[in-house]
Amino acid sequence: MQPRIVKIMRLVLMFACIVLFGTAGLVVFMHLQDPVEIIPHQTPGIVPLHISHLILATTLGSRCYLGSPGPGQAKPGPEGGHIQPRQRRRRLLIKKTPIVIALNSSTVTLAQLGPQDAGAPVGHWHRLYQVQRERKKIMRDTCAKYKSNSRRVITPYHVSRIFVEDKYRVLYCEVPKAGCSNWKRVLMVLSGLASSTRDIQHNTVHYGNTLKRLDGFDRQGISYRLNTYTKMLFVREPFERLVSAFRDKFEHPNSYYHPVFGKAILARYRVNATREALRTGSGVRFSEFIQYLLDVHRPVGMDIHWDHVNRLCSPCLIDYDFVGKFESMEEDANFFLRLIGAPRNLTFPRFKDRHSNEERTTTRIAHHYFAQLSPLQRQRTYDFYYMDYLMFNYSKPFDDLY
């Protein structure tokens, strides 16, 4: 009789283990799913009832998590929402249960400027409007061709790089190394936080916690602003942006990028690296940096300074009203400021506040760095940024690329 009881207990134990492992596997599977894939298609503009009771939690991006509500309480936000308290518990919650928001197409149309605006002839404004129409058409055509746009939903991650200026109703998606520091200065002046862009130091721009970010608002606040504010981003030729980031972060002393990225890159890709190099992370070569960038098993993760614009700003999900380019920054930026009715004495700053004695990264300088690579490395780097090249209509930087 006793052996039979033991046998039954073993069967019960085996069944319990099977149920336990099955449940654990299901939990892991649900945790890893992209919410865009598991939420059924919704009519644009309608928030699904089964998620309407959930709160939009905040997420933490690299650098500049902005806005400063008091401890333990929400800060009222103008016209459609509150800024949620930033708590670690909520940041962990959003990783487990991302909230999706149905997104309308923007109802914003660019203001019409005439000859009385800034004394420019009508033909000048007509040309700039036409440039905007062409850029947005190329961007939308690329999205329609290469990306499924049937599910118009976003998560807080998609808006984590968008800064908010409520007075002039502007949303700006930050693309590092494409004029983002000076654009933040402009937003601070528009918000009344400074009287001049010249008065704002670099550390205040990036670490001052003065500007608001869109993922700091609740669901209604995000939806309202996406559908009624003027949304803009500025982009840059991908190879030049990449070289600019490398020069800034690895060719100058840096207390973050050298120990975090430099040490990992040197340990993985430099043969017979010296103890001093491995200790400090200084002296990374451009070819080693490219090896890291193209490695699917990177020893350290991606960074916003060289990530794709397509991932930073989600232009296939968010209908940007204005697309500017670093290469025509002064003209594009000042055109945008006139469109939103900014003060006439506010123009986009020209100064370079970091390494000001050093020449800006140009096409010539970018070619010099990429000439250090093999044709295969250049091709793979072009492939890495292929969607950015297509979406923003940049030409191939080398003739041998395909």
Side-chain angles (χ1 to χ4, degrees), residues 206-219:
H206 291 293
Y207 310 112
N209 292 335
T210 51
L211 293 172
K212 294 172 287 187
R213 287 203 318 199
L214 191 54
D215 67 346
F217 292 88
D218 64 16
R219 177 172 53 81

Side-chain angles (χ1 to χ4, degrees), residues 36-96:
V36 170
E37 299 301 323
I38 62 177
I39 298 295
H41 175 63
Q42 304 292 336
T43 304
I46 299 176
V47 180
L49 292 176
H50 61 283
I51 64 166
S52 61
H53 65 286
L54 295 173
I55 297 174
L56 175 67
T58 57
T59 53
L60 183 65
S62 57
R63 275 177 43 168
C64 309
Y65 191 81
L66 305 175
S68 53
Q73 60 183 356
K75 179 178 178 181
E79 304 177 73
H82 295 78
I83 301 175
Q84 300 293 338
R86 297 184 302 279
Q87 299 176 356
R88 188 170 184 270
R89 178 178 60 80
R90 287 189 175 172
R91 292 202 297 271
L92 292 173
L93 174 65
I94 196 63
K95 294 178 182 179
K96 298 177 183 293

Side-chain angles (χ1 to χ4, degrees), residues 62-134:
S62 57
R63 275 177 43 168
C64 309
Y65 191 81
L66 305 175
S68 53
Q73 60 183 356
K75 179 178 178 181
E79 304 177 73
H82 295 78
I83 301 175
Q84 300 293 338
R86 297 184 302 279
Q87 299 176 356
R88 188 170 184 270
R89 178 178 60 80
R90 287 189 175 172
R91 292 202 297 271
L92 292 173
L93 174 65
I94 196 63
K95 294 178 182 179
K96 298 177 183 293
T97 55
I99 310 306
V100 296
I101 304 167
L103 177 64
N104 284 326
S105 295
S106 177
T107 57
V108 174
T109 56
L110 296 180
Q112 295 298 308
L113 301 179
Q116 73 279 7
D117 295 285
V122 175
H124 174 74
W125 301 129
H126 177 78
R127 178 178 62 81
L128 295 179
Y129 279 116
Q130 183 61 29
V131 167
Q132 284 302 309
R133 283 192 291 270
E134 291 171 356

Side-chain angles (χ1 to χ4, degrees), residues 217-367:
F217 292 88
D218 64 16
R219 177 172 53 81
Q220 290 83 3
I222 292 177
S223 180
Y224 173 80
R225 287 166 176 81
L226 282 173
N227 288 294
T228 61
Y229 283 25
T230 304
K231 301 177 290 296
M232 64 100 164
L233 78 161
F234 271 72
V235 299
R236 186 176 186 177
E237 202 282 333
F239 276 19
E240 291 180 28
R241 177 173 167 252
L242 182 65
V243 171
S244 177
F246 174 79
R247 294 174 72 201
D248 181 28
K249 305 306 178 188
F250 295 102
E251 292 188 347
H252 300 276
N254 193 295
S255 60
Y256 173 73
Y257 284 91
H258 289 193
V260 174
F261 287 86
K263 289 167 72 171
I265 290 172
L266 292 172
R268 173 72 69 89
Y269 306 110
R270 182 174 294 183
V271 179
N272 299 324
T274 65
R275 286 186 179 181
E276 180 65 12
L278 294 174
R279 184 184 68 83
T280 64
S282 301
V284 172
R285 303 181 187 116
F286 186 63
S287 59
E288 295 165 336
F289 174 65
I290 294 298
Q291 282 182 276
Y292 143 78
L293 182 74
L294 301 178
D295 191 346
V296 294
H297 302 294
R298 298 184 190 97
V300 62
M302 183 55 68
D303 183 82
I304 60 171
H305 291 84
W306 44 84
D307 206 350
H308 317 79
V309 176
N310 182 47
R311 289 200 346 157
L312 292 171
C313 296
S314 302
C316 291
L317 279 177
I318 298 172
D319 291 324
Y320 286 93
D321 305 292
F322 191 96
V323 181
K325 289 194 172 184
F326 184 85
E327 294 76 18
S328 52
M329 175 64 80
E330 186 174 357
E331 183 176 61
D332 288 350
N334 291 322
F335 177 43
F336 180 79
L337 291 174
R338 299 291 78 77
L339 288 172
I340 63 170
R344 292 292 177 87
N345 62 347
L346 176 62
T347 57
F348 192 80
R350 300 180 180 181
F351 60 84
K352 184 174 184 276
D353 65 345
R354 282 169 61 84
H355 321 306
S356 55
N357 295 328
E358 200 172 75
E359 184 182 357
R360 290 185 187 274
T361 301
T362 60
T363 301
R364 177 183 59 81
I365 290 176
H367 274 241

